[in-house]
Amino acid sequence: MNSIYQEIILDHYRNPRNAKIIENPTSQISLNNPLCGDKITFSIVEGDGVVKEVGYNATGCAISIASASLLSEQIIGKTKDELKKIDKDYIIDLIGIELSPNRIKCALLPLEALSKVI
Amino acid sequence: MDIEKIRNNFPIFLYHPELVYLDSTATSLKPKRVIEKEKEYYEQYSANIHRGIYKIAEKATAEYEQTREVVADYIGASDSAEIVFTRGATEGINMVASAFTEIVKEGDNLVATIMDHHSNFVPWQQLAKKKRAHFAIIPIREDGLLSVVEEDGITIDKTALSKFITANTKIVAFPAVSNVLGTINPVEELVKAIKEINPSAIIVVDAAQAAPHAGVDVQKWSADFVVFSAHKMLGPTGVGVLWGKKEHLKEMQPVQFGGEMVLEVNEQDTTFKDTPYKFESGTTNISGVIAFKEAINYLRAIGIDTIREHEKELVMYAIEQLEEKFGTEIKIIGTKNPQFRAGIISFSFETIHSHDIAQLLDDKSIAVRAGYHCTMPLHNHLNLTSSTRASFYLYTTKKDIDALIKGLDYVRNTMQK
C-alpha cells in the first residue's frame, strides 16, 4: 500500500493553517473547480509592500485543503514579485507526494487563487 | 451461475488477483474470448472489409457482417440493416442530433431527463439553443424514479407527462437505465405514453447501461432510435451501435462523407449506399466489431436474466451492508428497490469528498468512480457536489462488496478529523 495520504497531508487537512475569513482584505477572490466541486475564497492583507495576513475558506478534498494550508504558510512577509515565483512545481514540492494528473488540479486551485489576488 | 468459473474467463484477474473492480458502469472487464477474437482478426485475416476480392478480405467481411446479425438478434431487431456500427453510444446520439437538426424550428420543444448522461443531454440542449427551441427536463422524485413514472415503477402518470410532451415536441431523449441512480425506466410504457400525446415525436433511448445489465428489446420498446456501446458489455472499446427504425435510417442523410459509403461519385454529384453502409464511412473499427459478437455470445450463454438476478442480489446485499455499517453517515442515492435498480450504487458521505474516498479505496485495490459520472445536472438537482459510485457485473462477488465496506471503514478512519 502506497497511500498519497501521508501524515503531512492529513495533518493540514484536519488542522488547516490560516483557515479564516479576513474582514477587510486588500484583495480577495472566490474560485471553484466545477468538475469536482472544490471551492475556495482566498484573501490577503497587504502593507509596506508585503503580504501581512492571509486567510481562506475552502471546501473540497483533502488534497485541495492541504494544498491551501501549506501554501498559506509560504505567503506572509513576501512581496508580490516573490509570490509570483510560486509555480506548479513549487506546490508539488510543498505537498511532497506524487499526484496523478487527475489529482494535480485539486492541488493547484489555491495557487490559481493566489495568482489572482496578487 | 458459477462466478469463480466466470472470473477465470477474465484475464485481468490473473494480472491483478487482488483487484476489486467496481466500475463496470464506466467500462466492463473483457473476457478472454473477446480478446482472442480481436487477435484472431489481426493474425489471420487482417484485410479491409467490403472491397477486397480475395479470400482473407471476404473472411473479414463475413466476420464483420456476422456481428451485425448477432447484434440484431440480441436486441430483437427485425432487420440487420437497422444496425449501424458507430464508435460508441455518444456518436450514435450525435448522428441522430445532426440528422434531425432540420426538423427542429424556433419555438419547438425538445425533451430530456435530469438523469440523462451528458451524452444524451448536451446534444439536445445545444440543438434547442441553436434553433431557439425550448429544452424541457423531466425531473426525478425522491426515490430516484422519473417524476412521470408512478411508484410501481411501470405506470405512467400521463397528466404529469403531458406537461413535458406537447404537440410541438420534436425529440424526446431518456435513458433505459440511469448510470448513476441505477434506475430502470419502463421504456415500453414511456414510449407508448409519449406517442399517445405526440405520435411524431422522435424518441431516442440511451441503452448504454441497459444493453449490458437489463437487456434491450427494440420491438417491444418501439422507440425511434436506441444507442449503446460495446465496451460496457464485455466488448472492445471504440465500437457502438445505433439502432433506428428503418424508415428513419433510409431518410437520414449520411453525417460523414468518404470512402466505403458511396455508390457512385461523379464530378458534381454523389449517390450513397443504402442503410447501414451510408453511415459507416472510412475504415471502421473492424477488429472491434468482429470481436463484439463474442461478447454478446458470451452474455447470451449466461443469460441476461441470470445476470440481472445476480445484480439484484448484489444490490440488496450492498445497500443492506452499507446502511448497517454507516447508518446516517452515508447517503445512498436513488431507489432502494432492487426491482427497478441495476447493479449501480452511488453514495456520498457528508464530510468526505468523493475523490478522497476513491483515492483511499485505491490503496486497497478497490476501483470505484468519483465525481459527477457525466451527470452534472443530476448532481446539482440532488444538491451534491459529487458522489462515489460502485457498480457491479456478472463477475462481481459478495466478497467484493465486503471489501468495499472494509475499504470505506478505512477511508472513514483515515479522514476522521
Side-chain angles (χ1 to χ4, degrees), chain B residues 176-188:
Chain B
V177 174
S178 155
N179 72 312
V180 174
L181 304 161
T183 308
I184 300 172
N185 288 317
V187 180
E188 186 186 349

Side-chain angles (χ1 to χ4, degrees), chain B residues 162-231:
Chain B
S162 66
K163 294 204 171 74
F164 298 97
I165 314 294
T166 67
N168 292 329
T169 299
K170 290 289 165 72
I171 288 158
V172 185
F174 63 88
V177 174
S178 155
N179 72 312
V180 174
L181 304 161
T183 308
I184 300 172
N185 288 317
V187 180
E188 186 186 349
E189 289 77 7
L190 276 166
V191 171
K192 201 169 155 235
I194 293 164
K195 295 277 185 186
E196 268 173 29
I197 301 170
N198 183 342
S200 61
I202 300 288
I203 301 176
V204 183
V205 177
D206 168 10
Q209 298 305 332
H213 300 282
V216 173
D217 188 335
V218 295
Q219 299 294 335
K220 236 166 88 181
W221 287 3
S222 202
D224 296 277
F225 293 98
V226 175
V227 299
F228 52 95
S229 298
H231 73 93

Side-chain angles (χ1 to χ4, degrees), chain A residues 1-5 10 13-14 16 34-39 60-63 65 99-100 102-103 105-106, chain B residues 351-360 362-364 370-372 376 385-386 410 412-417:
Chain A
M1 188 186 89
N2 184 18
S3 182
I4 66 165
Y5 291 76
L10 290 172
Y13 167 69
R14 291 184 185 126
L35 281 174
C36 56
D38 289 354
K39 281 183 196 143
C61 66
I63 303 295
I65 307 268
L99 290 172
S100 67
N102 275 332
R103 297 309 299 280
K105 64 181 193 320
C106 310
Chain B
T351 55
I352 311 175
H353 194 282
S354 66
H355 279 172
D356 291 324
I357 296 175
Q359 188 93 56
L360 282 162
D362 181 52
D363 290 351
K364 307 287 184 192
Y372 277 115
M376 253 196 216
T385 49
S386 70
Y410 158 73
R412 194 174 53 167
N413 292 336
T414 307
M415 299 299 291
Q416 213 144 43
K417 290 208 178 184

Side-chain angles (χ1 to χ4, degrees), chain A residues 9-57:
Chain A
I9 299 290
L10 290 172
D11 177 36
H12 280 265
Y13 167 69
R14 291 184 185 126
N15 308 297
R17 324 294 196 260
N18 301 307
K20 58 176 187 270
I21 294 160
I22 294 178
E23 291 289 329
N24 294 303
T26 321
S27 184
Q28 178 169 307
I29 181 111
S30 291
L31 286 180
N32 70 332
N33 183 345
L35 281 174
C36 56
D38 289 354
K39 281 183 196 143
I40 189 164
T41 299
F42 199 91
S43 325
I44 55 169
V45 178
E46 284 172 85
D48 307 327
V50 295
V51 173
K52 293 264 188 201
E53 207 183 349
V54 61
Y56 58 89
N57 179 24

Side-chain angles (χ1 to χ4, degrees), chain B residues 7-8 38 152 162 274 299 317 319-320 356 385 405 409:
Chain B
R7 286 171 76 90
N8 286 337
E38 200 151 350
D152 63 4
S162 66
D274 204 350
L299 284 175
Y317 183 68
I319 290 179
E320 183 192 292
D356 291 324
T385 49
I405 303 290
D409 201 37

Side-chain angles (χ1 to χ4, degrees), chain B residues 168-397:
Chain B
N168 292 329
T169 299
K170 290 289 165 72
I171 288 158
V172 185
F174 63 88
V177 174
S178 155
N179 72 312
V180 174
L181 304 161
T183 308
I184 300 172
N185 288 317
V187 180
E188 186 186 349
E189 289 77 7
L190 276 166
V191 171
K192 201 169 155 235
I194 293 164
K195 295 277 185 186
E196 268 173 29
I197 301 170
N198 183 342
S200 61
I202 300 288
I203 301 176
V204 183
V205 177
D206 168 10
Q209 298 305 332
H213 300 282
V216 173
D217 188 335
V218 295
Q219 299 294 335
K220 236 166 88 181
W221 287 3
S222 202
D224 296 277
F225 293 98
V226 175
V227 299
F228 52 95
S229 298
H231 73 93
K232 292 188 197 289
M233 50 192 296
L234 311 182
T237 57
V239 176
V241 170
L242 165 66
W243 171 88
K245 280 189 174 155
K246 208 170 169 190
E247 64 260 33
H248 292 319
L249 293 175
K250 274 189 169 305
E251 263 177 46
M252 268 167 70
Q253 286 298 304
V255 182
Q256 276 196 350
F257 302 108
E260 262 306 280
M261 44 81 69
V262 293
L263 266 186
E264 194 182 333
V265 181
N266 299 307
E267 283 190 16
Q268 299 299 328
D269 199 21
T270 296
T271 51
F272 305 112
K273 283 184 181 169
D274 204 350
T275 182
Y277 304 107
K278 69 177 173 186
F279 299 110
E280 295 174 12
S281 60
T283 296
T284 53
N285 186 347
I286 300 171
S287 64
V289 168
I290 286 174
F292 183 24
K293 65 174 165 290
E294 291 301 315
I296 295 176
N297 289 336
Y298 185 92
L299 284 175
R300 295 191 90 172
I302 292 162
I304 199 82
D305 292 339
T306 310
I307 295 168
R308 177 80 193 100
E309 283 310 310
H310 174 63
E311 287 188 19
K312 262 192 223 171
E313 245 179 74
L314 291 173
V315 162
M316 270 193 287
Y317 183 68
I319 290 179
E320 183 192 292
Q321 292 292 312
L322 286 168
E323 288 190 329
E324 190 186 305
K325 186 84 192 174
F326 303 105
T328 52
E329 278 176 81
I330 195 171
K331 183 181 178 205
I332 297 172
I333 308 161
T335 177
K336 303 264 165 78
N337 186 341
Q339 219 51 39
F340 322 127
R341 184 172 195 136
I344 297 167
I345 295 181
S346 300
F347 56 87
S348 66
F349 282 83
E350 189 154 1
T351 55
I352 311 175
H353 194 282
S354 66
H355 279 172
D356 291 324
I357 296 175
Q359 188 93 56
L360 282 162
L361 287 177
D362 181 52
D363 290 351
K364 307 287 184 192
S365 298
I366 301 167
V368 296
R369 184 130 300 227
Y372 277 115
H373 330 302
C374 298
T375 56
M376 253 196 216
L378 175 64
H379 279 78
N380 289 336
H381 184 76
L382 294 168
N383 244 330
L384 291 171
T385 49
S386 70
S387 66
T388 307
R389 181 182 71 192
S391 54
F392 317 139
Y393 210 6
L394 66 167
Y395 38 67
T396 311
T397 61

